[in-house]
Amino acid sequence: MTALSPSSFSRRSFLGTGSAAAAGLLLAGGAAADGLFHAPSAHAATAPQPVINPIVNQRADPWLMKHTDNRYYFTGSVPEYDRIIIRSSSTISGLGSAPEAVVWKRPPSGTMGGHIWAPELHHFDGKWHIYFAAGDSTDVFRVRIYVISTDSADPATAVWEPPVRVFTHADTFSLDATTFEHAGTRYLVWAQADAGVNSSLFISTMGSPSTLSSTPVRIAVPTLDWETRGFRVNEGAAVIKRNGRIFLTFSASATDANYCIGLLTADEDADLLDAASWIKTPTPVFATSDATKQYGPGHNSFTVDEAGNDVIVYHARSYRAITGDPLYDPNRHARVQRLHWNADGTPQFGVPVGDGPLPFRWQPAEAPELYLAHDGTTVTASATPSLAASQFRILPGYAKKNSVLIEPVLAKGRYLRIEAGNLVIASAPGASSAFIQQKGLSDSAGFSFESVDIPGSYLCLNQGVLTVSRVAASQRAAATFKLTS
C-alpha cells in the first residue's frame, strides 16, 4: 500500500492507497525574516478512498485476487461453514461494503452437506473455478476437495456447474487446494491427512481443473515445534513467484493464537515435483503479535494493490482468549498489508500490523537511504531497521481539525508525545500528542509534522534522533519525511 493523507479521514475510514508521492495536506509557505519557517493553515487534499483493517469482518481463509478486468474478487470461509460467497470491487477498500453474493450452498443432507471450508477463486482456461473443501452431513469432518466452474464473465452472478470432486492419492481428510501455473504447467497443492499427522502438503500436475496428471508428492510435513501446537498441521498453501523463485506459504498448528504462517521456497528452474526442491524456512515468517494485538494470523493469499505493490491477505483475531473450540469462534477477520522484499529477493513479512490504518515507513529527506525506527522509547534513523520497528500508523488526532496522532505499530495505544520538551512514546493521547501534517518543508512530495501544542515546532531529525524543535530555513530537510507503505 502507498502513502496517503490521513488527516482528512475519520477514525473509522482512515487509511489508503495511492502513489508514495500522493497528496497529503498541501501547504504553501516560505522563510520568515527570523530565518524560521512558518507554515499557513493546512488544506486537505482530495485522496482516494482509504483502506482499513480488517477489510472484511468474519471471513476466514480469505482469498483475494485482481482479475484482468482490474476488479478485485474476494471469497472466504463464513462462520456458519454452509455456503460460498463472492464480493467484488474496483478497489480493495471497497470490499468491506461491497454486496456479497452467495454462489453455492451446501445441500441439506448427504455428500457435501457438512463443513464448507476455504473457497479459492481462480480463472484459467477461459473459465472461473472455485476450489473448496466439504464434509458430509453425517460426518462434517469427512472433508474432501471439490471444484465448481463457470464460463460466465462475472463469477458473482454466474450459474455455476455442479461440484466435481478432485480425487487425490488417498480417500482421507483433504482440504485447502490451491492452483498455480509455472513454465506452462499447472499444479495443484493441497493439504491431506498423512502418516500420523493431521495434514501434510502435497503437489501434483493437473490434467484438467478437476483431475491430477502426476503422482502426488509430499513436500512438507509438520515436524517443528511451531507446526505442531495443538495439532500437527501444514495447510492453506498460497504461491507467489518473484525474483527467480517460487515462494509457497502455508499455515501451521491449531487455529487459535498458535496458528502461524511458514514458508517453502523452490528455485524457478527446479523440478517442483521433487520434494528436495522445496526448502522450509526453520521458523514461522508470520505469527501472533502481542505488540499489535493480532492473534493466529494465517491462511493467506497474495495479490497486488491498486499501485501494483505486492500485498498479503490473511485472517487473524484481535484477542487471544477463546471460549470453546477456536474453529467455531467467528471473529477471524480478513486483513491485508504490504508485502516487502529483502535485498536478497526473499519476502519480508514483518508482523500483522493490527486494526486500523496501514502503517507508513518514514524516510528523512536529508538521508533518504535511512528509515525512522524506534526501540520503544526513542526514535532514530537507521539504514537497516527491522520492518516492524520502522512502521508508524497515522491516526486522526483529538486536538483540532486535521490533527493527527502517530502510533508505532509495535506500541499499540502509545503515541509520539511531547513531555517536558522531549519527544517520547507514551500512552496518553491528547493535545501533546497531536501534530498537523503538512506538505514537506523542503520537498512537496514529502510531509512535515508541526506540533499543535508548540506552533512553529516540527518533528525534526537532529543528529540521527527524532526531536521536536523550531526549524530554520537551512533545516527544512531535517523536518521533511517521505512516507511509504
Side-chain angles (χ1 to χ4, degrees), residues 115-304:
H115 288 331
I116 307 302
W117 286 342
E120 285 195 10
L121 180 66
H122 297 267
H123 191 276
F124 60 91
D125 294 344
K127 299 180 76 170
W128 289 100
H129 309 277
I130 297 178
Y131 291 88
F132 66 99
D136 295 343
S137 62
T138 54
D139 183 355
V140 296
F141 290 103
R142 189 184 181 279
V143 172
R144 304 294 187 267
I145 299 167
Y146 299 87
V147 62
I148 56 175
S149 303
T150 182
D151 57 8
S152 297
D154 184 353
T157 60
V159 176
W160 289 81
E161 298 166 10
V164 176
R165 182 170 165 187
V166 179
F167 287 93
T168 63
H169 59 289
D171 187 23
T172 61
F173 181 84
S174 50
L175 70 166
D176 294 353
T178 193
T179 181
F180 69 99
E181 181 276 335
H182 181 63
T185 299
R186 179 157 294 279
Y187 295 85
L188 192 77
V189 177
W190 70 96
Q192 186 149 2
D194 168 63
V197 301
N198 297 96
S199 60
S200 298
L201 294 181
F202 291 82
I203 190 171
S204 171
T205 57
M206 301 184 72
S208 75
S210 61
T211 60
L212 307 183
S213 59
S214 66
T215 301
V217 175
R218 186 177 64 185
I219 58 174
V221 182
T223 59
L224 302 173
D225 171 71
W226 54 272
E227 301 176 291
T228 58
R229 296 176 181 174
F231 296 99
R232 297 167 61 87
V233 167
N234 284 172
E235 65 182 17
V239 170
I240 184 169
K241 299 192 296 181
R242 296 287 185 273
N243 308 320
R245 280 162 282 190
I246 300 171
F247 301 102
L248 187 152
T249 53
F250 62 93
S251 296
S253 289
T255 56
D256 53 16
N258 291 306
Y259 209 51
C260 59
I261 293 178
L263 181 68
L264 298 176
T265 303
D267 187 87
E268 67 178 359
D269 296 323
D271 178 3
L272 302 186
L273 298 182
D274 182 352
S277 298
W278 296 94
I279 305 302
K280 182 184 290 187
T281 301
T283 56
V285 295
F286 205 57
T288 284
S289 172
D290 283 309
T292 64
K293 310 301 182 188
Q294 295 293 285
Y295 301 95
H299 205 127
N300 75 284
S301 56
F302 297 103
T303 189
V304 295

Side-chain angles (χ1 to χ4, degrees), residues 7 11 362 394-407 415-419 423-424 426 428-438 448-459 468:
S7 48
R11 177 171 300 277
W362 298 38
I394 302 176
L395 299 166
Y398 298 95
K400 59 189 295 185
K401 185 178 180 181
N402 295 331
S403 70
V404 299
L405 302 175
I406 301 165
E407 178 190 59
Y415 310 92
L416 299 192
R417 182 173 172 83
I418 305 166
E419 291 183 356
L423 188 69
V424 300
S432 60
S433 302
F435 298 87
I436 300 297
Q437 181 178 343
Q438 306 172 358
S448 295
F449 294 83
E450 183 182 13
S451 170
V452 168
D453 269 9
I454 314 173
S457 291
Y458 292 81
L459 292 179
V468 177

Side-chain angles (χ1 to χ4, degrees), residues 305-354:
D305 66 16
E306 291 90 326
N309 300 306
D310 291 319
V311 297
I312 178 174
V313 188
Y314 61 97
H315 72 236
R317 296 182 179 90
S318 57
Y319 50 86
R320 179 184 287 274
I322 297 171
T323 301
D325 187 336
L327 190 63
Y328 300 110
D329 179 284
N331 293 317
R332 293 184 292 174
H333 303 319
R335 307 168 190 277
V336 62
Q337 65 189 63
R338 177 80 177 270
L339 179 67
H340 292 259
W341 295 92
N342 295 308
D344 66 0
T346 58
Q348 184 180 24
F349 293 84
V351 299
V353 297

